[in-house]
Amino acid sequence: MIIGVDVGTSVTKASLLNRDGTALVTHSMRSTLNRLPGGRVEQDLDEVISSVVRVVREVAAVAESTGEPVEALAITGQGDGLWLRDHQGLQVGPAISWLDARAAAVLDGWHGSGVQRRVFGLTGSGMFPGSAGPLLAHLAEHSPERLERAAVAGYCVDAIVQRFTGEITVDASDASLPFLDVTTRSYSVEALEACGIAEHRRLLAEPAPPNKLFALDGKAAKELGLPAGLPVSAGPFDLPACAFGSGVSNVGDGSLVIGTTLGCQVLRDEFEVDPEGEVAGMWLATPLPERYLRVMPAMVGTANLDWVLAMVGAGVDQLETLLASSKPGAGGVSALSFLSTSGERAPFVAPHARGQFTGLSLDTSQADLVRAMCEAVAYAARHNLESAGLTGEVSACGGGARSAAWSQIFADVLGRPLHVPYEEGVGARGAAMTAWDSLGEPVDRELWAAGRRTVQPHPNAVEFYERGYREYLVSIDRARPHWGASS
């Protein structure tokens, strides 16, 4: 058995996983996301570490009662942002979330000067305000003392691994945005120079080689209730972990993570950048040789649903009823789902993008507003998956995939069957799959993929939504000139 841990933006989960992908037990704990003036969104590393310790201890206690050994601790979690630490793994100021918008002005300048497109041409990374490039540049200008005190500028997963093992490392998936050449797994000096932060190269840990395992140190082992020296697998981060955990295995297959992020990604066997294309998305290195993920991670997914439900005074438990009360097309109401204060990052980067409803009338119902937003998120998913090169099957996971009615909308808008794993905790499953590979004991991927339900698209709805999708694309083109220079 392996304990898989997924450190999300707001919830930390740990599961005791069997080799068939089923979870014997899962424990979770919420963590705090601090939203501050100026678009700042931060987390406290110590609190995040405490959440991991608590849920792992609870799961480890169950593992001990079974009499079966735990083979490894597999960690995945949120990506991007900036988690500055010292040599001991202590935070140098609060961790900056991927949702943070403080560096929007930096990105505005880079858009106008051509830096953004230059970096995109070098690494395939479309930077956004909450990515490491603009955040490092912002701190270099406004808080240089933080960078001087730091030993490493990393991410959530490697921050936890440093505290548990004493190792300063980073998974290649995390390091991919924005400075890594994913084909060689080495940093692009040209990209660092273009961003004006080459002097801070010392803060970037070298990516760990595929299948690298670390060892749990004595102090962490005692806190977690696990044996010292237990193998620790560090990544990939949550988006690629969800892709593999949900069953993506063939080139062209896509994964849709309907969570805080609307993560849209496609497995590719080549790295290619269109120098004239949208400066958006990212190419991620994966644990698989010569396989990359082309990722288009829209800023928010289920947060759009939470917002519109709050606006109409409804709870998520009413979603199925509300969607059933409004027909496809939402009574003539349509929406754009760009509600993040940081704007949008895929399939285009627009730090000042904003959402909207159109087609409202006195006849518009609460259900129409909810359905219009759910349809808009599904249109965004199709836009991103097509931009990422989808040609094969699509798997879906995350909180939004638990809704039968919303899953049906996604299948109808995509015009493809949607495969949804029965088991939750897909990110932890993907991390555990990677850990077993690293232990030299790979799991049966066909067996894991068999544990999915399939949502079939309705032909009439597919035809209707095909027209709706074309109208959605036109509405984006009409809105972008009103979003500011970086759109």
Side-chain angles (χ1 to χ4, degrees), residues 3 6 36 66 69 83 96 102 105-106 147 172 194 199 205 225 228 246 269 274 284 352 354 388 414 466 473:
I3 296 178
D6 188 351
L36 304 165
T66 68
W83 298 58
I96 302 175
R102 76 187 69 186
V106 172
L147 298 184
E199 65 183 285
S246 63
D269 60 359
D274 178 3
L284 301 182
H352 308 291
R354 291 296 177 261
L414 292 171
E466 181 65 33
L473 297 178

Side-chain angles (χ1 to χ4, degrees), residues 181-192:
D181 178 338
V182 297
T183 62
T184 63
R185 294 178 180 251
S186 60
Y187 292 110
S188 168
V189 175
E190 293 89 344
L192 286 160

Side-chain angles (χ1 to χ4, degrees), residues 18 43 89 118 169 183 191 277 314 327 387 404:
N18 294 311
Q43 289 192 273
R118 169 69 172 156
T169 184
T183 62
K327 295 180 181 179
S387 299

Side-chain angles (χ1 to χ4, degrees), residues 248-281:
V248 169
S249 58
N250 297 318
V251 172
D253 285 353
S255 168
L256 183 58
V257 184
I258 316 169
T260 304
T261 298
L262 182 66
C264 309
Q265 47 195 334
V266 175
L267 189 64
R268 305 280 292 270
D269 60 359
E270 83 294 332
F271 170 80
E272 57 181 5
V273 176
D274 178 3
E276 303 302 321
E278 291 277 5
V279 183

Side-chain angles (χ1 to χ4, degrees), residues 46-76:
D46 290 336
E47 183 192 58
V48 172
I49 295 290
S50 295
S51 73
V52 176
V53 169
R54 177 172 170 178
V55 296
V56 171
R57 280 189 66 88
E58 291 171 338
V59 170
V62 175
E64 186 175 10
S65 70
T66 68
E68 295 290 328
V70 173
E71 298 174 67
L73 178 66
I75 303 173
T76 186

